[in-house]
Amino acid sequence: MKKAYVHGYDPRENIRLQDQASTLVELLHSDTAYPPGSRVLEAGCGVGAQTIALAGNSPRALITSVDISPSSVAEAARTAAEAGLSNVHFQQADIFSLPFGPDSFDHIFVCFVLEHLPKPVEALLALKKVLRAGGTITVIEGDHGSAYFHPDSEAARRAIQCQVQLQRRAGGNANVGRELYPLLCEAGYGSVRVSPRMVYVDASKPGLVDGFIKKTFTAMIEGVRQSALEAGIAEEREFAEGIRDLYRTAEVDGVFCYTFFKAIGLKPAQ
Ligand SMILES: C[S@@+](CC[C@H](N)C(=O)[O-])C[C@H]1O[C@@H](n2cnc3c(N)ncnc32)[C@H](O)[C@@H]1O
């Protein structure tokens, strides 16, 4: 039986993550720049799709990027070397047993990771241990409940729900974006601020039509086809109709909206 769908472990999915990152760099990264010499932990770096923007915007910060998957870390290191980045150190590590002492970092950056974790608050607590008091955590997540489009389509909405259900069965939460404020508060971060970042796409933005509607969002939903059929939560013909209708929103009269959530919290002094 095919392994349950998890972002970032097959070549097609890796290409999708890279496409997603390059399409969303301005929207998600433009206000994140860390001071020279600051120690930054990127937790769950995957294949390095965000690392490029992160390190590029903070060229003199000292970035440590970790992921639980050794093959992803190796690929991230290759990508960073090809991009000529010299301020990132890559290391295999599990967020829940980080090989760093207390106060090892001034800032932490986490993107599209909590959505996969059954216990996101515990992950945020584990990260807080290695953050110094007064340091910041930045968390970015999507929320599939925020996807709406024209022409509307029941089949497309059902195809999206397949992804939501599969992620839930795997212990994750594809709608976690809306929960960032309560999650960070529960983990004991202070001064939490969340800013929604809407991607609005119509035909006047051909880069986003291709990069977001087609190569990011629809590619992701299309990627769960086999798992959804095997899990018996989709029927082949209807799923295909849903995917066709998602691509339909990329046509000249189509419109697509999706909201990411970016949260920043501070580790309070004890
Ligand atoms: C969807 S990918 C996101 C990767 C990257 N942040 C990005 O935005 O392209 C989620 C990543 O979280 C990693 N991950 C999941 N659980 C983890 C854990 N306990 N510790 C470290 N990394 C973890 C996965 O291996 C995967 O690479």
Side-chain angles (χ1 to χ4, degrees):
M1 178 141 150
K2 198 168 179 282
K3 197 171 166 290
Y5 168 81
V6 179
H7 294 316
Y9 292 132
D10 76 74
R12 191 167 174 231
E13 175 62 7
N14 288 347
I15 292 167
R16 190 192 70 78
L17 284 170
Q18 299 288 2
D19 282 340
Q20 169 173 281
S22 46
T23 301
L24 301 174
V25 163
E26 177 67 20
L27 184 75
L28 301 182
H29 285 272
S30 60
D31 54 346
T32 298
Y34 298 114
S38 56
R39 303 159 303 165
V40 179
L41 174 66
E42 183 194 11
C45 64
V47 293
Q50 311 297 335
T51 314
I52 307 301
L54 194 67
N57 285 345
S58 303
R60 294 175 61 204
L62 309 169
I63 299 173
T64 301
S65 294
V66 305
D67 199 280
I68 197 167
S69 157
S71 60
S72 293
V73 171
E75 182 155 353
R78 268 195 302 277
T79 305
E82 276 166 23
L85 295 176
S86 57
N87 60 331
V88 189
H89 164 73
F90 290 95
Q91 190 171 336
Q92 189 276 334
D94 182 347
I95 287 170
F96 295 98
S97 54
L98 288 167
F100 308 113
D103 307 333
S104 292
F105 296 98
D106 301 301
H107 304 284
I108 295 179
F109 181 88
V110 194
C111 187
F112 307 141
V113 177
L114 295 191
E115 61 171 312
H116 297 291
L117 304 180
K119 296 182 174 168
V121 171
E122 285 177 23
L124 293 169
L125 285 167
L127 291 166
K128 193 151 69 95
K129 281 191 190 146
V130 302
L131 183 63
R132 71 160 164 84
T136 69
I137 186 165
T138 297
V139 184
I140 300 174
E141 293 289 345
D143 189 316
H144 289 1
S146 73
Y148 53 90
F149 33 81
H150 173 80
D152 199 2
S153 154
E154 180 62 31
R157 280 188 264 123
R158 275 205 287 271
I160 295 168
Q161 275 312 306
C162 287
Q163 211 277 344
V164 172
Q165 279 184 48
L166 287 169
Q167 201 154 335
R168 194 179 299 132
R169 288 179 186 200
N173 178 3
N175 296 342
V176 75
R178 71 189 70 178
E179 295 183 25
L180 289 187
Y181 184 84
L183 289 172
L184 266 77
C185 291
E186 190 180 339
Y189 291 92
S191 305
V192 179
R193 292 285 176 273
V194 176
S195 66
R197 313 264 162 131
M198 184 199 265
V199 187
Y200 168 81
V201 192
D202 62 29
S204 69
K205 301 172 178 177
L208 284 173
V209 168
D210 188 58
F212 190 75
I213 301 181
K214 293 183 183 172
K215 290 186 175 154
T216 296
F217 193 83
T218 306
M220 172 181 64
I221 302 302
E222 214 171 0
V224 305
R225 177 184 167 281
Q226 195 57 33
S227 305
L229 296 179
E230 284 173 6
I233 58 172
E235 184 263 309
E236 186 140 24
R237 197 179 44 78
E238 192 195 43
F239 192 83
E241 189 187 329
I243 297 301
R244 188 202 62 204
D245 288 353
L246 286 173
Y247 280 117
R248 169 69 183 83
T249 69
E251 288 179 22
V252 68
D253 59 346
V255 174
F256 197 98
C257 300
Y258 186 91
T259 303
F260 293 92
F261 295 83
K262 182 170 183 174
I264 301 178
L266 276 184
K267 178 173 175 176
Q270 301 308 323

